[in-house]
């Protein structure tokens, strides 16, 4: 599906928004990651938001053999957003990584993410690390609050059980 045609087509913002919501809910919604390479900041922001929603809502529907690839892609996209901006895209992608880590019980995720974001060095890297830390705190706190309201001990999801084999892999 040519996502970028949605951003150039007529029909008004409401029609575009409805179509984008359909895409987000569909299995093809996982392909929005490719839009993170787009030159338009609004398109990249949409992609980051949509990807975050997919991880929150549909991670259990992603084939288990694609978890490692998604994890690597999330790290790469977040590192690029840290280097190139804008901060809103970095914020959403950091939320994607945090949500993914909580849903899959990925140990050491925050250290791995901070190292990737900080690797260029300089003031931009420092600011990006601070964004990542603030997003991590917010995401974990929100997850704890939501989890406490839902139930004391939630059963392990299919994704968490299947992710155990990924723990033994290198986190790059």
């Amino acid at each position: 599906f040519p996502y970028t045609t949605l951003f150039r087509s007529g029909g008004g913002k409401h029609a575009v928004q409805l179509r984008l919501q359909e895409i987000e809910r569909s299995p093809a919604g996982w392909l929005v990651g490719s839009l993170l390479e787009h030159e338009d900041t609004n398109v990249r922001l949409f992609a980051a938001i949509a990807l975050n929603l997919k991880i929150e809502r549909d991670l259990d529907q992603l084939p288990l053999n694609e978890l490692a690839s998604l994890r690597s892609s999330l790290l790469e996209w977040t590192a690029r957003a840290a280097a190139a901006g804008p901060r809103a895209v970095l914020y959403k992608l950091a939320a994607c990584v945090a949500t993914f880590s909580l849903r899959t019980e990925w140990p050491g995720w925050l250290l791995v993410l901070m190292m990737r974001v900080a690797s260029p060095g300089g003031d931009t890297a420092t600011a990006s690390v601070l964004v990542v830390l603030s997003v991590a705190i917010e995401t974990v706190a929100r997850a704890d609050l939501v989890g406490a309201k839902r139930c004391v001990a939630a059963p392990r999801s299919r994704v968490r059980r299947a992710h155990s084999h990924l723990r033994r892999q290198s986190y790059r």
Side-chain angles (χ1 to χ4, degrees):
F1 178 82
Y3 292 105
T4 54
T5 60
L6 283 172
F7 297 96
R8 282 183 256 144
S9 64
K13 288 182 181 182
H14 183 68
V16 170
Q17 184 178 11
L18 290 175
R19 181 65 181 131
L20 291 174
Q21 288 172 352
E22 286 176 31
I23 293 167
E24 288 172 1
R25 292 184 192 113
S26 75
W30 289 109
L31 301 175
V32 298
S34 64
L35 291 177
L36 290 165
E37 308 290 330
H38 199 275
E39 61 197 37
D40 186 332
T41 300
N42 292 324
V43 174
R44 289 195 316 268
L45 183 58
F46 159 75
I49 291 168
L51 193 57
N52 195 41
L53 288 171
K54 289 299 284 183
I55 292 169
E56 286 177 352
R57 296 179 185 166
D58 300 332
L59 190 62
D60 288 341
Q61 296 173 11
L62 187 68
L64 297 175
N65 61 344
E66 294 182 23
L67 286 175
S69 175
L70 178 58
R71 180 179 63 193
S72 295
S73 294
L74 287 171
L75 289 171
E76 181 62 32
W77 293 326
T78 307
R80 284 190 205 150
R87 185 161 290 179
V89 173
L90 172 61
Y91 185 91
K92 274 301 173 186
L93 287 172
C96 288
V97 175
T99 302
F100 180 88
S101 72
L102 293 171
R103 298 277 320 273
T104 61
E105 296 181 355
W106 172 14
W109 68 273
L110 186 55
L111 180 58
V112 172
L113 179 59
M114 288 187 341
M115 289 173 52
R116 291 289 295 266
V117 166
S119 64
D123 292 339
T124 302
T126 302
S128 296
V129 167
L130 293 175
V131 169
V132 167
L133 285 173
S134 69
V135 170
I137 291 166
E138 291 173 20
T139 304
V140 171
R142 186 176 31 136
D144 286 346
L145 178 63
V146 170
K149 286 182 180 178
R150 287 188 183 157
C151 62
V152 175
R156 291 173 56 91
S157 74
R158 175 185 74 89
V159 171
R160 284 183 178 172
R161 287 189 302 270
H163 191 264
S164 63
H165 72 279
L166 291 175
R167 290 183 195 162
R168 292 183 278 283
Q169 294 181 352
S170 167
Y171 295 113
R172 288 189 230 168

